Amino acid sequence: MEPGGLEWLLVPMRQLVSWGAAGAMVFGGVVPYIPQYRDIRRSQNAEGFSTYVCLVLLVANILRILFWFGRHFESPLLWQSIIMIITMLLMLKLCTEVRVSNELNVKRRSFAAADSKDEEIKAPPKRSYLDFDLNYFWHWSKFTDYVQCVLTFTGVTGYITYLWLDSSLFVETLGFLAVFTEAMLGVPQLYRNYQNRSTEGMSIKMVLMWTSGDTFKTAYFILNQAPFQFSICGLLQVFVDIAILLQVYLYSNYPQKPVSHTAHPASTKAL
């Protein structure tokens, strides 16, 4: 068979591979959170998962979408950000419901003004709009407070981006912030594991999927000549994943006593 005779087969195969890679980029990022979501739902315990992971991914993907308006990159990366934002909101909703149901006689915290109908608040709130205490940031009692925070961040950063969209320096900086923030994805979980001196409650499958997914994603960035910020921060993200896997090995083979304050189940500041 002449070499040219295989062209009819190679072209659709290349197209299928291209579609497969694009699909993996769009949906592959959310796959690691499926086992973690199921574990939390089954055990009704969100202690092992840091919701600051959700915060990092929400910020990173909102900034990435805004970056797209200044410098159009591949559509699969844009759709990946949209799917990831939806996934993180679902994770936040579950974790908030589980945590609040496990907390008894704890004062409700909110991003927006406190509800006057809240049975735990006997007097009108002193703050007129925001019940914003840095000690309880991202530790609110209702999912709607997280949504309000995300919408506020999106509105402010979107307006700033609109004003500075013609500045190439601003656009490139925005792109760097987007991928650098995502590269720090594993840091909250890394720190939480260090605090607990344990990886109990954290889905090992999630971290393994993080590592394989980030490796694939970084290779995709390099091969498809994505903006240089994507490739550099992708490599950094892989290194953080490996550090978490080292924690799994160390804490499994050399278990350590947790610090004394972890004996109080109501302390869930990392969530």
Side-chain angles (χ1 to χ4, degrees):
M1 182 179 293
E2 296 181 2
L6 292 176
E7 194 66 25
W8 68 272
L9 181 61
L10 294 177
V11 171
M13 285 184 65
R14 290 195 194 105
Q15 190 66 48
L16 286 174
V17 170
S18 177
W19 288 344
M25 281 302 302
V26 173
F27 297 102
V30 306
V31 172
Y33 300 96
I34 295 176
Q36 184 70 73
Y37 185 93
R38 294 177 64 184
D39 288 346
I40 294 173
R41 193 175 185 86
R42 184 186 67 252
S43 65
Q44 288 297 297
N45 184 357
E47 278 291 309
F49 177 73
S50 173
T51 53
Y52 281 110
V53 169
C54 300
L55 173 62
V56 170
L57 278 175
L58 285 168
V59 170
N61 284 283
I62 289 169
L63 293 180
R64 186 195 284 186
I65 292 173
L66 294 176
F67 176 52
W68 182 85
F69 287 99
R71 182 177 175 184
H72 289 0
F73 45 80
E74 288 195 330
S75 296
L77 299 180
L78 177 64
W79 280 106
Q80 180 198 40
S81 292
I82 296 172
I83 298 297
M84 184 61 73
I85 288 172
I86 296 172
T87 302
M88 289 302 101
L89 290 175
L90 291 174
M91 287 292 297
L92 272 177
K93 187 174 187 298
L94 175 65
C95 290
T96 304
E97 291 172 352
V98 169
R99 175 168 50 82
V100 172
S101 67
N102 291 335
E103 289 181 341
L104 300 176
N105 299 322
V106 176
K107 180 182 177 181
R108 296 295 187 241
R109 297 287 174 175
S110 61
F111 173 75
D115 188 351
S116 60
K117 296 181 180 179
D118 192 334
E119 68 278 2
E120 294 183 350
I121 301 176
K122 304 302 181 183
K126 294 181 180 180
R127 296 169 184 171
S128 59
Y129 177 63
L130 295 182
D131 183 20
F132 195 79
D133 186 341
L134 282 177
N135 293 325
Y136 291 91
F137 176 76
W138 211 248
H139 189 70
W140 301 308
S141 304
K142 293 182 179 179
F143 172 66
T144 52
D145 291 301
Y146 293 95
V147 174
Q148 290 172 4
C149 180
V150 170
L151 291 176
T152 300
F153 174 78
T154 303
V156 171
T157 53
Y159 182 67
I160 294 173
T161 301
Y162 173 75
L163 294 177
W164 290 87
L165 199 58
D166 294 332
S167 169
S168 59
L169 177 61
F170 173 83
V171 171
E172 293 301 325
T173 302
L174 183 65
F176 174 78
L177 288 176
V179 291
F180 180 76
T181 303
E182 186 175 358
M184 295 294 101
L185 165 65
V187 173
Q189 192 67 56
L190 188 75
Y191 180 66
R192 181 160 182 76
N193 295 342
Y194 173 76
Q195 276 188 318
N196 294 343
R197 301 295 194 274
S198 169
T199 56
E200 183 179 356
M202 182 193 72
S203 172
I204 308 301
K205 292 179 182 178
M206 179 185 72
V207 181
L208 288 172
M209 290 179 182
W210 272 357
T211 308
S212 59
D214 292 338
T215 303
F216 169 81
K217 181 172 62 178
T218 303
Y220 183 91
F221 291 158
I222 296 172
L223 293 175
N224 287 275
Q225 298 181 338
F228 75 95
Q229 302 101 318
F230 285 62
S231 301
I232 294 173
C233 293
L235 290 171
L236 178 59
Q237 196 167 355
V238 172
F239 290 142
V240 174
D241 295 339
I242 293 173
I244 296 177
L245 289 175
L246 286 175
Q247 284 183 323
V248 174
Y249 172 78
L250 290 174
Y251 295 146
S252 298
N253 291 276
Y254 307 97
Q256 303 177 42
K257 289 286 185 180
V259 291
S260 58
H261 71 269
T262 57
H264 302 285
S267 178
T268 56
K269 289 186 178 180
L271 289 178

